[in-house]
Coordinates of all heavy atoms in Angstrom, one line a residue:
D1238 N 32.6 22.1 43.4 CA 31.2 21.7 43.7 C 30.3 22.3 42.6 O 29.4 21.6 42.2 CB 30.8 22.2 45.1 CG 29.6 21.5 45.6 OD1 29.4 20.4 45.2 OD2 28.8 22.2 46.3
D1239 N 30.5 23.6 42.2 CA 29.7 24.2 41.2 C 29.9 23.6 39.9 O 29.0 23.4 39.1 CB 30.0 25.7 41.2 CG 29.0 26.4 40.3 OD1 27.8 26.0 40.3 OD2 29.4 27.4 39.7
V1240 N 31.2 23.2 39.6 CA 31.5 22.6 38.3 C 30.9 21.2 38.3 O 30.4 20.8 37.2 CB 33.1 22.5 38.2 CG1 33.4 21.7 36.9 CG2 33.7 23.9 38.1
T1241 N 30.9 20.5 39.3 CA 30.3 19.1 39.4 C 28.8 19.2 39.1 O 28.3 18.4 38.3 CB 30.5 18.5 40.7 OG1 31.9 18.6 41.1 CG2 30.1 17.1 40.7
K1242 N 28.1 20.1 39.6 CA 26.7 20.3 39.3 C 26.4 20.6 37.9 O 25.5 20.1 37.2 CB 26.1 21.4 40.2 CG 25.9 20.9 41.6 CD 25.2 22.0 42.5 CE 25.1 21.6 43.9 NZ 24.5 22.6 44.7
K1243 N 27.3 21.5 37.3 CA 27.2 21.8 35.9 C 27.4 20.6 35.0 O 26.7 20.3 34.0 CB 28.1 22.9 35.5 CG 27.7 24.3 35.9 CD 28.7 25.3 35.5 CE 28.2 26.7 35.9 NZ 29.2 27.7 35.5
Q1244 N 28.4 19.8 35.4 CA 28.8 18.6 34.6 C 27.6 17.6 34.7 O 27.3 16.9 33.7 CB 30.0 18.0 35.2 CG 31.3 18.7 34.8 CD 32.5 18.1 35.4 OE1 32.4 17.4 36.4 NE2 33.7 18.5 34.9
Q1245 N 27.0 17.5 35.9 CA 25.9 16.5 36.1 C 24.7 16.9 35.3 O 24.1 16.1 34.6 CB 25.5 16.5 37.6 CG 26.5 15.7 38.4 CD 26.2 15.7 39.9 OE1 25.3 16.5 40.3 NE2 26.9 14.9 40.7
R1246 N 24.4 18.3 35.3 CA 23.3 18.7 34.4 C 23.6 18.5 33.0 O 22.7 18.1 32.2 CB 23.0 20.2 34.7 CG 22.3 20.5 36.0 CD 21.8 21.9 36.0 NE 22.9 22.8 36.1 CZ 23.2 23.6 37.1 NH1 22.5 23.6 38.2 NH2 24.3 24.4 37.1
S1247 N 24.8 18.8 32.6 CA 25.2 18.6 31.2 C 25.1 17.1 30.8 O 24.6 16.8 29.7 CB 26.6 19.1 30.9 OG 27.0 18.8 29.6
M1248 N 25.5 16.2 31.6 CA 25.5 14.8 31.4 C 24.0 14.3 31.3 O 23.6 13.5 30.5 CB 26.3 14.0 32.4 CG 27.8 14.2 32.3 SD 28.7 13.3 33.5 CE 28.3 11.6 33.1
A1249 N 23.2 14.9 32.2 CA 21.8 14.5 32.2 C 21.1 15.0 30.9 O 20.3 14.2 30.3 CB 21.1 15.2 33.4
R1250 N 21.4 16.2 30.4 CA 20.9 16.6 29.2 C 21.4 15.8 28.0 O 20.6 15.4 27.1 CB 21.3 18.1 28.9 CG 20.3 19.1 29.6 CD 20.7 20.5 29.1 NE 22.0 20.8 29.7 CZ 22.3 21.9 30.3 NH1 21.4 22.8 30.5 NH2 23.5 22.1 30.8
T1251 N 22.6 15.4 28.0 CA 23.2 14.6 27.0 C 22.5 13.2 27.0 O 22.1 12.7 25.9 CB 24.7 14.4 27.2 OG1 25.3 15.7 27.2 CG2 25.3 13.6 26.0
K1252 N 22.3 12.7 28.2 CA 21.6 11.4 28.3 C 20.2 11.4 27.7 O 19.7 10.6 27.0 CB 21.6 10.9 29.7 CG 21.1 9.5 29.9 CD 21.2 9.1 31.4 CE 20.6 7.8 31.6 NZ 20.6 7.4 33.1
T1253 N 19.5 12.5 28.1 CA 18.2 12.7 27.6 C 18.1 12.8 26.1 O 17.3 12.2 25.4 CB 17.5 14.0 28.2 OG1 17.6 13.8 29.6 CG2 16.1 14.1 27.8
L1254 N 19.1 13.6 25.5 CA 19.1 13.7 24.1 C 19.4 12.4 23.4 O 18.8 12.1 22.3 CB 20.2 14.8 23.7 CG 19.8 16.2 24.0 CD1 21.0 17.1 23.7 CD2 18.6 16.7 23.2
I1255 N 20.3 11.6 24.0 CA 20.6 10.3 23.4 C 19.4 9.4 23.4 O 19.1 8.7 22.5 CB 21.8 9.7 24.1 CG1 23.1 10.4 23.8 CG2 22.0 8.2 23.8 CD1 24.3 10.0 24.6
Q1256 N 18.7 9.4 24.6 CA 17.5 8.6 24.7 C 16.4 9.0 23.6 O 15.8 8.2 23.0 CB 16.9 8.7 26.1 CG 17.7 8.0 27.1 CD 17.2 8.2 28.5 OE1 16.4 9.2 28.7 NE2 17.6 7.4 29.5
L1257 N 16.3 10.4 23.5 CA 15.3 10.8 22.5 C 15.7 10.4 21.1 O 14.9 10.0 20.3 CB 15.2 12.4 22.5 CG 14.4 12.9 23.7 CD1 14.5 14.4 23.8 CD2 13.0 12.5 23.7
A1258 N 17.0 10.6 20.8 CA 17.5 10.2 19.4 C 17.3 8.7 19.2 O 16.9 8.3 18.1 CB 18.9 10.6 19.2
T1259 N 17.6 7.9 20.2 CA 17.4 6.4 20.1 C 16.0 6.1 19.9 O 15.6 5.3 19.0 CB 18.0 5.7 21.3 OG1 19.3 6.1 21.5 CG2 17.9 4.2 21.1
A1260 N 15.1 6.7 20.7 CA 13.7 6.4 20.5 C 13.1 6.8 19.2 O 12.3 6.1 18.6 CB 12.9 7.1 21.6
H1261 N 13.6 8.0 18.7 CA 13.2 8.5 17.4 C 13.7 7.5 16.3 O 13.0 7.2 15.3 CB 13.7 9.9 17.1 CG 13.4 10.4 15.7 ND1 12.1 10.7 15.3 CD2 14.2 10.6 14.6 CE1 12.1 11.1 14.1 NE2 13.4 11.0 13.6
G1262 N 14.9 7.0 16.4 CA 15.4 6.1 15.4 C 14.6 4.8 15.4 O 14.3 4.2 14.3
K1263 N 14.2 4.3 16.6 CA 13.4 3.1 16.6 C 12.1 3.3 16.0 O 11.6 2.5 15.3 CB 13.3 2.6 18.0 CG 14.6 2.0 18.6 CD 14.4 1.5 20.0 CE 15.7 1.0 20.6 NZ 15.5 0.6 22.0
A1264 N 11.5 4.4 16.3 CA 10.1 4.7 15.8 C 10.2 4.9 14.3 O 9.3 4.4 13.6 CB 9.6 6.0 16.4
T1265 N 11.2 5.5 13.8 CA 11.4 5.7 12.3 C 11.6 4.3 11.7 O 11.0 4.1 10.6 CB 12.5 6.6 12.0 OG1 12.3 7.9 12.7 CG2 12.6 6.9 10.5
A1266 N 12.4 3.5 12.3 CA 12.7 2.2 11.7 C 11.4 1.3 11.7 O 11.2 0.6 10.7 CB 13.8 1.5 12.4
M1267 N 10.6 1.4 12.7 CA 9.4 0.6 12.8 C 8.4 1.1 11.8 O 7.6 0.4 11.2 CB 8.8 0.7 14.2 CG 9.6 -0.1 15.2 SD 9.1 0.1 16.9 CE 7.4 -0.1 16.8
Q1268 N 8.3 2.4 11.5 CA 7.3 3.0 10.6 C 7.8 2.9 9.2 O 6.9 2.9 8.3 CB 7.1 4.4 11.0 CG 6.4 4.6 12.3 CD 6.4 6.1 12.8 OE1 7.0 6.9 12.2 NE2 5.7 6.3 13.9
D1269 N 9.1 2.8 8.9 CA 9.5 2.8 7.6 C 9.5 1.4 7.0 O 10.5 0.7 7.0 CB 11.0 3.4 7.5 CG 11.4 3.7 6.1 OD1 10.5 3.7 5.2 OD2 12.6 4.0 5.9
W1270 N 8.4 1.0 6.5 CA 8.2 -0.4 6.0 C 8.9 -0.6 4.7 O 9.2 -1.7 4.3 CB 6.7 -0.6 5.7 CG 6.0 0.3 4.8 CD1 5.4 1.5 5.1 CD2 6.0 0.2 3.3 NE1 5.0 2.1 3.9 CE2 5.3 1.4 2.8 CE3 6.4 -0.7 2.4 CZ2 5.1 1.6 1.5 CZ3 6.2 -0.5 1.1 CH2 5.6 0.6 0.6
R1271 N 9.4 0.5 4.0 CA 10.1 0.3 2.8 C 11.5 -0.3 2.9 O 12.1 -0.7 2.0 CB 10.2 1.7 2.1 CG 8.9 2.2 1.6 CD 9.0 3.7 1.2 NE 9.3 4.4 2.5 CZ 9.1 5.7 2.6 NH1 8.6 6.4 1.6 NH2 9.3 6.3 3.7
R1272 N 12.0 -0.3 4.1 CA 13.3 -0.9 4.4 C 13.2 -2.3 5.0 O 14.2 -3.0 5.1 CB 14.1 0.0 5.4 CG 14.4 1.3 4.8 CD 15.2 2.1 5.8 NE 15.5 3.4 5.3 CZ 16.4 3.8 4.5 NH1 17.3 2.9 4.1 NH2 16.6 5.1 4.2
D1273 N 12.0 -2.8 5.2 CA 11.7 -4.1 5.7 C 11.3 -5.1 4.6 O 10.2 -5.0 4.1 CB 10.7 -4.1 6.8 CG 10.5 -5.4 7.5 OD1 11.2 -6.4 7.2 OD2 9.6 -5.5 8.4
R1274 N 12.2 -6.0 4.2 CA 11.9 -6.8 3.0 C 10.7 -7.7 3.2 O 9.9 -8.0 2.3 CB 13.2 -7.7 2.8 CG 13.2 -8.3 1.4 CD 13.5 -7.3 0.4 NE 12.8 -7.5 -0.8 CZ 12.5 -6.6 -1.7 NH1 12.8 -5.4 -1.6 NH2 11.8 -6.9 -2.8
D1275 N 10.5 -8.2 4.5 CA 9.3 -9.1 4.7 C 8.0 -8.3 4.5 O 7.1 -8.8 3.9 CB 9.4 -9.6 6.2 CG 10.5 -10.6 6.3 OD1 10.9 -11.3 5.3 OD2 11.0 -10.8 7.5
R1276 N 8.0 -7.1 5.0 CA 6.8 -6.3 4.8 C 6.5 -5.9 3.4 O 5.4 -5.9 2.9 CB 6.8 -5.0 5.7 CG 6.8 -5.4 7.2 CD 6.9 -4.2 8.1 NE 5.6 -3.4 8.1 CZ 5.5 -2.3 8.7 NH1 6.5 -1.8 9.4 NH2 4.3 -1.7 8.7
I1277 N 7.6 -5.7 2.6 CA 7.5 -5.4 1.2 C 6.9 -6.6 0.5 O 6.0 -6.5 -0.4 CB 8.8 -4.9 0.6 CG1 9.2 -3.6 1.1 CG2 8.8 -4.9 -0.9 CD1 10.6 -3.1 0.8
N1278 N 7.5 -7.8 0.8 CA 7.0 -9.0 0.1 C 5.6 -9.3 0.5 O 4.8 -9.8 -0.4 CB 7.9 -10.2 0.5 CG 9.3 -10.1 -0.1 OD1 9.4 -9.5 -1.2 ND2 10.2 -10.8 0.5
H1279 N 5.2 -9.0 1.7 CA 3.8 -9.2 2.1 C 2.9 -8.3 1.3 O 1.8 -8.7 0.8 CB 3.6 -9.0 3.6 CG 2.2 -9.0 4.1 ND1 1.5 -10.2 4.2 CD2 1.3 -8.1 4.5 CE1 0.3 -10.0 4.6 NE2 0.2 -8.7 4.8
R1280 N 3.2 -7.0 1.2 CA 2.4 -6.1 0.4 C 2.4 -6.4 -1.0 O 1.4 -6.3 -1.7 CB 3.0 -4.6 0.6 CG 2.6 -4.1 2.0 CD 3.2 -2.7 2.2 NE 3.0 -2.3 3.6 CZ 2.6 -1.1 3.9 NH1 2.3 -0.2 3.0 NH2 2.4 -0.8 5.2
A1281 N 3.5 -6.9 -1.6 CA 3.6 -7.3 -3.0 C 2.6 -8.5 -3.2 O 1.9 -8.6 -4.2 CB 5.0 -7.7 -3.4
A1282 N 2.6 -9.5 -2.3 CA 1.7 -10.6 -2.4 C 0.3 -10.2 -2.3 O -0.5 -10.7 -3.1 CB 2.0 -11.7 -1.3
L1283 N 0.0 -9.3 -1.4 CA -1.4 -8.8 -1.3 C -1.8 -8.1 -2.6 O -2.9 -8.2 -3.1 CB -1.5 -7.9 -0.1 CG -2.9 -7.3 0.1 CD1 -4.0 -8.3 0.4 CD2 -2.8 -6.3 1.2
T1284 N -0.9 -7.3 -3.1 CA -1.1 -6.5 -4.3 C -1.3 -7.4 -5.5 O -2.3 -7.2 -6.3 CB 0.0 -5.5 -4.6 OG1 0.2 -4.6 -3.5 CG2 -0.2 -4.7 -5.8
S1285 N -0.5 -8.4 -5.7 CA -0.7 -9.3 -6.8 C -2.0 -10.1 -6.7 O -2.6 -10.4 -7.7 CB 0.5 -10.2 -6.9 OG 0.6 -11.1 -5.8
T1286 N -2.4 -10.5 -5.5 CA -3.6 -11.2 -5.3 C -4.8 -10.3 -5.7 O -5.7 -10.7 -6.4 CB -3.8 -11.6 -3.8 OG1 -2.7 -12.5 -3.5 CG2 -5.1 -12.3 -3.6
L1287 N -4.8 -9.0 -5.2 CA -5.8 -8.1 -5.6 C -5.9 -7.8 -7.1 O -7.0 -7.7 -7.7 CB -5.7 -6.7 -4.8 CG -6.0 -6.8 -3.4 CD1 -5.6 -5.4 -2.7 CD2 -7.5 -7.0 -3.2
C1288 N -4.7 -7.8 -7.7 CA -4.7 -7.6 -9.2 C -5.3 -8.7 -9.9 O -6.1 -8.5 -10.8 CB -3.2 -7.5 -9.6 SG -3.0 -7.1 -11.3
A1289 N -5.1 -10.0 -9.4 CA -5.7 -11.1 -10.0 C -7.2 -11.1 -9.8 O -8.0 -11.4 -10.7 CB -5.1 -12.4 -9.4
V1290 N -7.6 -10.8 -8.6 CA -9.1 -10.7 -8.3 C -9.8 -9.7 -9.2 O -10.8 -10.0 -9.8 CB -9.3 -10.5 -6.8 CG1 -10.8 -10.1 -6.5 CG2 -8.9 -11.7 -6.0
F1291 N -9.2 -8.5 -9.2 CA -9.8 -7.4 -10.1 C -9.8 -7.8 -11.5 O -10.8 -7.6 -12.2 CB -9.1 -6.1 -9.9 CG -9.2 -5.5 -8.5 CD1 -8.2 -4.7 -8.0 CD2 -10.3 -5.7 -7.8 CE1 -8.3 -4.2 -6.7 CE2 -10.5 -5.2 -6.5 CZ -9.5 -4.4 -6.0
G1292 N -8.7 -8.4 -12.0 CA -8.7 -8.9 -13.4 C -9.7 -9.9 -13.7 O -10.4 -9.9 -14.8
L1293 N -9.8 -10.9 -12.9 CA -10.8 -12.0 -13.1 C -12.3 -11.5 -13.0 O -13.1 -11.9 -13.7 CB -10.6 -13.1 -12.1 CG -9.4 -14.0 -12.4 CD1 -9.1 -15.0 -11.3 CD2 -9.5 -14.7 -13.7
T1294 N -12.5 -10.6 -12.0 CA -13.9 -10.0 -11.9 C -14.2 -9.2 -13.1 O -15.4 -9.3 -13.6 CB -14.0 -9.2 -10.6 OG1 -13.5 -10.0 -9.5 CG2 -15.4 -8.7 -10.4
G1295 N -13.3 -8.4 -13.6 CA -13.6 -7.7 -14.9 C -13.8 -8.6 -16.0 O -14.7 -8.3 -16.9
T1296 N -13.1 -9.7 -16.1 CA -13.3 -10.6 -17.2 C -14.6 -11.3 -17.1 O -15.3 -11.5 -18.1 CB -12.2 -11.7 -17.1 OG1 -10.9 -11.1 -17.3 CG2 -12.3 -12.7 -18.3
M1297 N -15.0 -11.6 -15.9 CA -16.4 -12.2 -15.7 C -17.5 -11.2 -16.1 O -18.5 -11.6 -16.7 CB -16.6 -12.7 -14.3 CG -15.7 -13.9 -13.9 SD -15.8 -15.3 -15.1 CE -17.5 -15.7 -15.0
C1298 N -17.3 -10.0 -15.8 CA -18.3 -9.0 -16.2 C -18.4 -8.9 -17.7 O -19.5 -8.8 -18.3 CB -17.9 -7.6 -15.7 SG -18.2 -7.4 -13.9
A1299 N -17.2 -9.0 -18.4 CA -17.2 -9.0 -19.9 C -17.9 -10.2 -20.4 O -18.6 -10.1 -21.4 CB -15.8 -8.8 -20.4
V1300 N -17.6 -11.4 -19.8 CA -18.2 -12.6 -20.3 C -19.8 -12.5 -20.2 O -20.5 -12.9 -21.1 CB -17.6 -13.8 -19.6 CG1 -18.5 -15.1 -19.8 CG2 -16.2 -14.0 -20.0
V1301 N -20.2 -12.1 -19.0 CA -21.7 -12.0 -18.8 C -22.3 -11.0 -19.8 O -23.4 -11.2 -20.3 CB -22.0 -11.6 -17.3 CG1 -23.5 -11.3 -17.1 CG2 -21.5 -12.8 -16.4
Q1302 N -21.6 -9.9 -19.9 CA -22.1 -8.9 -20.9 C -22.2 -9.5 -22.3 O -23.3 -9.3 -23.0 CB -21.2 -7.7 -20.9 CG -21.4 -6.7 -22.0 CD -20.2 -5.8 -22.2 OE1 -19.4 -5.6 -21.2 NE2 -20.0 -5.3 -23.4
H1303 N -21.2 -10.2 -22.7 CA -21.2 -10.8 -24.0 C -22.4 -11.8 -24.2 O -23.1 -11.9 -25.2 CB -19.9 -11.5 -24.3 CG -19.8 -12.1 -25.7 ND1 -19.7 -11.3 -26.8 CD2 -19.7 -13.4 -26.1 CE1 -19.6 -12.1 -27.8 NE2 -19.6 -13.4 -27.4
E1304 N -22.6 -12.6 -23.1 CA -23.6 -13.6 -23.2 C -25.0 -13.0 -23.2 O -25.9 -13.5 -23.9 CB -23.5 -14.5 -21.9 CG -22.4 -15.5 -22.0 CD -22.5 -16.5 -23.1 OE1 -23.6 -17.0 -23.4 OE2 -21.5 -16.8 -23.7
L1305 N -25.2 -11.9 -22.5 CA -26.5 -11.2 -22.6 C -26.7 -10.7 -24.0 O -27.8 -10.8 -24.5 CB -26.5 -10.0 -21.6 CG -26.6 -10.4 -20.1 CD1 -26.5 -9.1 -19.3 CD2 -28.0 -11.1 -19.9
I1306 N -25.7 -10.1 -24.6 CA -25.9 -9.6 -26.0 C -26.2 -10.8 -27.0 O -27.0 -10.6 -27.9 CB -24.7 -8.8 -26.4 CG1 -24.6 -7.5 -25.6 CG2 -24.7 -8.5 -27.9 CD1 -23.4 -6.7 -25.8
L1307 N -25.5 -11.9 -26.8 CA -25.8 -13.1 -27.6 C -27.2 -13.6 -27.4 O -27.8 -14.2 -28.4 CB -24.8 -14.2 -27.4 CG -23.3 -14.0 -27.9 CD1 -22.4 -15.1 -27.5 CD2 -23.3 -13.7 -29.4
R1308 N -27.7 -13.4 -26.3 CA -29.1 -13.9 -26.0 C -30.2 -12.9 -26.5 O -31.4 -13.1 -26.3 CB -29.3 -14.2 -24.5 CG -28.5 -15.4 -24.1 CD -28.7 -15.7 -22.6 NE -27.9 -16.9 -22.3 CZ -28.5 -17.9 -21.7 NH1 -29.7 -18.0 -21.5 NH2 -27.7 -19.0 -21.4
G1309 N -29.8 -11.8 -27.1 CA -30.7 -10.9 -27.7 C -31.0 -9.7 -26.8 O -32.0 -8.9 -27.2
V1310 N -30.3 -9.5 -25.7 CA -30.5 -8.3 -24.9 C -30.0 -7.1 -25.7 O -28.9 -7.2 -26.3 CB -29.9 -8.4 -23.5 CG1 -30.0 -7.1 -22.7 CG2 -30.4 -9.6 -22.8
D1311 N -30.7 -6.0 -25.7 CA -30.2 -4.7 -26.3 C -28.9 -4.3 -25.8 O -28.7 -4.2 -24.6 CB -31.3 -3.6 -26.1 CG -30.9 -2.4 -26.8 OD1 -30.2 -2.4 -27.9 OD2 -31.4 -1.3 -26.4
P1312 N -27.9 -4.0 -26.6 CA -26.6 -3.6 -26.2 C -26.6 -2.3 -25.4 O -25.7 -2.0 -24.7 CB -25.8 -3.4 -27.5 CG -26.5 -4.3 -28.4 CD -27.9 -4.3 -28.1
L1313 N -27.7 -1.5 -25.5 CA -27.8 -0.3 -24.8 C -28.7 -0.4 -23.5 O -29.0 0.6 -22.9 CB -28.4 0.8 -25.7 CG -27.5 1.2 -26.9 CD1 -28.2 2.2 -27.8 CD2 -26.1 1.7 -26.4
A1314 N -29.0 -1.6 -23.2 CA -29.9 -1.9 -22.0 C -29.1 -1.5 -20.7 O -27.8 -1.5 -20.7 CB -30.3 -3.3 -21.9
F1315 N -29.8 -1.2 -19.7 CA -29.2 -0.8 -18.4 C -28.3 -1.8 -17.9 O -27.2 -1.5 -17.4 CB -30.3 -0.4 -17.4 CG -29.8 0.0 -16.1 CD1 -29.2 1.3 -15.9 CD2 -29.8 -0.8 -15.0 CE1 -28.7 1.7 -14.7 CE2 -29.3 -0.4 -13.8 CZ -28.7 0.8 -13.6
S1316 N -28.7 -3.1 -17.9 CA -27.9 -4.2 -17.3 C -26.6 -4.3 -18.1 O -25.5 -4.6 -17.4 CB -28.7 -5.5 -17.3 OG -29.1 -5.8 -18.7
V1317 N -26.6 -4.2 -19.4 CA -25.4 -4.3 -20.2 C -24.5 -3.1 -19.9 O -23.2 -3.3 -19.7 CB -25.7 -4.4 -21.7 CG1 -24.4 -4.4 -22.5 CG2 -26.5 -5.6 -21.9
N1318 N -25.1 -1.9 -19.7 CA -24.2 -0.7 -19.4 C -23.6 -0.8 -18.0 O -22.5 -0.4 -17.8 CB -25.1 0.5 -19.5 CG -25.3 0.9 -21.0 OD1 -24.5 0.6 -21.8 ND2 -26.4 1.6 -21.2
V1319 N -24.4 -1.4 -17.1 CA -23.8 -1.6 -15.7 C -22.6 -2.6 -15.8 O -21.5 -2.3 -15.2 CB -24.9 -2.2 -14.8 CG1 -24.2 -2.7 -13.5 CG2 -25.9 -1.1 -14.5
L1320 N -22.7 -3.6 -16.6 CA -21.6 -4.6 -16.7 C -20.4 -3.9 -17.4 O -19.3 -4.2 -17.1 CB -22.1 -5.8 -17.5 CG -23.0 -6.8 -16.7 CD1 -23.6 -7.8 -17.6 CD2 -22.2 -7.4 -15.6
K1321 N -20.7 -3.1 -18.4 CA -19.6 -2.3 -19.1 C -18.9 -1.4 -18.1 O -17.6 -1.4 -18.1 CB -20.2 -1.5 -20.2 CG -20.6 -2.3 -21.4 CD -21.2 -1.3 -22.5 CE -21.8 -2.1 -23.6 NZ -22.5 -1.1 -24.6
G1322 N -19.7 -0.8 -17.2 CA -19.1 0.1 -16.2 C -18.2 -0.7 -15.2 O -17.1 -0.2 -14.8
C1323 N -18.8 -1.8 -14.8 CA -18.0 -2.6 -13.8 C -16.7 -3.2 -14.5 O -15.7 -3.2 -13.8 CB -18.9 -3.8 -13.4 SG -20.2 -3.3 -12.3
N1324 N -16.8 -3.6 -15.7 CA -15.6 -4.0 -16.4 C -14.6 -2.9 -16.5 O -13.4 -3.2 -16.2 CB -16.0 -4.5 -17.8 CG -14.8 -5.2 -18.5 OD1 -13.8 -5.5 -17.9 ND2 -15.0 -5.4 -19.8
S1325 N -15.0 -1.7 -16.8 CA -14.0 -0.6 -16.9 C -13.4 -0.3 -15.5 O -12.2 -0.1 -15.4 CB -14.7 0.6 -17.4 OG -15.2 0.4 -18.7
L1326 N -14.3 -0.3 -14.5 CA -13.8 0.0 -13.1 C -12.8 -1.1 -12.7 O -11.7 -0.7 -12.1 CB -15.0 0.0 -12.1 CG -14.6 0.1 -10.7 CD1 -14.1 1.5 -10.4 CD2 -15.8 -0.2 -9.8
F1327 N -13.1 -2.4 -12.9 CA -12.2 -3.4 -12.5 C -10.9 -3.4 -13.3 O -9.8 -3.7 -12.8 CB -12.8 -4.8 -12.5 CG -13.8 -5.0 -11.4 CD1 -15.1 -5.2 -11.6 CD2 -13.3 -5.0 -10.1 CE1 -16.0 -5.4 -10.6 CE2 -14.2 -5.2 -9.0 CZ -15.6 -5.4 -9.3
T1328 N -11.0 -3.0 -14.5 CA -9.8 -2.8 -15.3 C -8.9 -1.7 -14.8 O -7.7 -1.9 -14.7 CB -10.1 -2.5 -16.8 OG1 -10.9 -3.5 -17.3 CG2 -8.9 -2.3 -17.7
L1329 N -9.5 -0.6 -14.4 CA -8.7 0.5 -13.8 C -8.1 0.1 -12.5 O -6.9 0.4 -12.2 CB -9.5 1.8 -13.6 CG -10.0 2.4 -14.9 CD1 -10.9 3.6 -14.6 CD2 -8.8 3.0 -15.7
L1330 N -8.8 -0.6 -11.7 CA -8.3 -1.1 -10.4 C -7.1 -2.1 -10.6 O -6.1 -2.1 -9.9 CB -9.4 -1.8 -9.6 CG -10.4 -0.9 -9.0 CD1 -11.6 -1.7 -8.4 CD2 -9.8 0.0 -7.9
C1331 N -7.3 -2.9 -11.6 CA -6.2 -3.9 -11.9 C -4.9 -3.1 -12.4 O -3.8 -3.5 -12.0 CB -6.7 -4.9 -13.0 SG -5.5 -6.2 -13.4
I1332 N -5.1 -2.1 -13.2 CA -3.9 -1.3 -13.7 C -3.3 -0.6 -12.5 O -2.1 -0.6 -12.3 CB -4.4 -0.3 -14.7 CG1 -4.7 -1.0 -16.0 CG2 -3.3 0.7 -15.0 CD1 -5.4 -0.2 -17.1
G1333 N -4.1 -0.1 -11.6 CA -3.6 0.5 -10.4 C -2.8 -0.5 -9.5 O -1.7 -0.1 -9.0
M1334 N -3.2 -1.7 -9.4 CA -2.5 -2.7 -8.6 C -1.2 -3.1 -9.3 O -0.2 -3.3 -8.7 CB -3.4 -3.9 -8.4 CG -4.5 -3.7 -7.4 SD -4.0 -3.3 -5.8 CE -4.5 -1.6 -5.7
L1335 N -1.2 -3.1 -10.7 CA 0.0 -3.4 -11.4 C 1.0 -2.3 -11.2 O 2.2 -2.6 -11.0 CB -0.3 -3.5 -12.9 CG -0.9 -4.8 -13.4 CD1 -1.4 -4.8 -14.8 CD2 0.0 -6.0 -13.1
V1336 N 0.6 -1.1 -11.2 CA 1.5 0.0 -11.0 C 2.1 0.0 -9.5 O 3.3 0.2 -9.3 CB 0.8 1.4 -11.2 CG1 1.7 2.6 -10.8 CG2 0.5 1.5 -12.7
R1337 N 1.2 -0.3 -8.6 CA 1.6 -0.4 -7.2 C 2.7 -1.6 -7.1 O 3.7 -1.4 -6.4 CB 0.5 -0.7 -6.3 CG 0.9 -0.8 -4.8 CD -0.3 -0.9 -3.9 NE 0.2 -1.0 -2.5 CZ -0.4 -1.6 -1.6 NH1 -1.6 -2.1 -1.8 NH2 0.1 -1.5 -0.3
Y1338 N 2.4 -2.7 -7.7 CA 3.3 -3.8 -7.6 C 4.7 -3.4 -8.2 O 5.7 -3.8 -7.7 CB 2.7 -5.0 -8.4 CG 3.6 -6.3 -8.3 CD1 3.5 -7.1 -7.1 CD2 4.4 -6.6 -9.3 CE1 4.2 -8.2 -7.0 CE2 5.2 -7.8 -9.1 CZ 5.1 -8.6 -8.0 OH 5.9 -9.7 -7.9
Y1339 N 4.6 -2.7 -9.3 CA 5.9 -2.3 -10.0 C 6.7 -1.4 -9.0 O 7.9 -1.6 -8.9 CB 5.6 -1.5 -11.3 CG 6.8 -0.8 -11.9 CD1 7.7 -1.6 -12.6 CD2 7.0 0.5 -11.7 CE1 8.8 -1.0 -13.1 CE2 8.1 1.1 -12.2 CZ 9.0 0.4 -13.0 OH 10.1 1.0 -13.5
W1340 N 6.0 -0.5 -8.3 CA 6.8 0.4 -7.4 C 7.2 -0.3 -6.2 O 8.2 0.1 -5.6 CB 5.9 1.6 -7.1 CG 5.9 2.6 -8.2 CD1 4.8 2.9 -9.0 CD2 6.9 3.4 -8.7 NE1 5.1 3.8 -10.0 CE2 6.5 4.1 -9.8 CE3 8.3 3.6 -8.3 CZ2 7.2 5.0 -10.5 CZ3 9.1 4.5 -9.0 CH2 8.5 5.2 -10.1
L1341 N 6.5 -1.3 -5.8 CA 7.0 -2.1 -4.6 C 8.2 -2.9 -4.9 O 9.1 -3.1 -4.1 CB 5.9 -3.1 -4.1 CG 4.8 -2.5 -3.3 CD1 3.7 -3.5 -3.1 CD2 5.3 -2.0 -2.0
M1342 N 8.3 -3.4 -6.2 CA 9.4 -4.2 -6.6 C 10.7 -3.5 -7.1 O 11.7 -4.1 -7.3 CB 9.0 -5.2 -7.6 CG 8.0 -6.3 -7.1 SD 8.8 -7.4 -5.9 CE 8.0 -6.9 -4.4
T1343 N 10.5 -2.2 -7.3 CA 11.7 -1.4 -7.8 C 12.3 -0.7 -6.6 O 11.9 -0.6 -5.6 CB 11.3 -0.4 -8.9 OG1 10.3 0.5 -8.4 CG2 10.9 -1.1 -10.1

């Protein structure tokens, strides 16, 4: 009778440990997006879209800056400097997205 109670307690603990391990495995699998190809492809598509948006926006800033200078605006004017800063910012963001895309695909 005493052995049976010990066995039952031992089996209950084992069952609890198995449930915890299974729950932990499921939680880890759900959180680990790096093993889910669909989620990786979704993030890669979003990253490439952001890269294109940042690149085009930076290019448009450069075009507007160039047009302002051609129209006779002083190259050291505040508006031209703001466009230069925006161009630099969008270039850095684009490079960051390219690096992120590289790491997603490797």
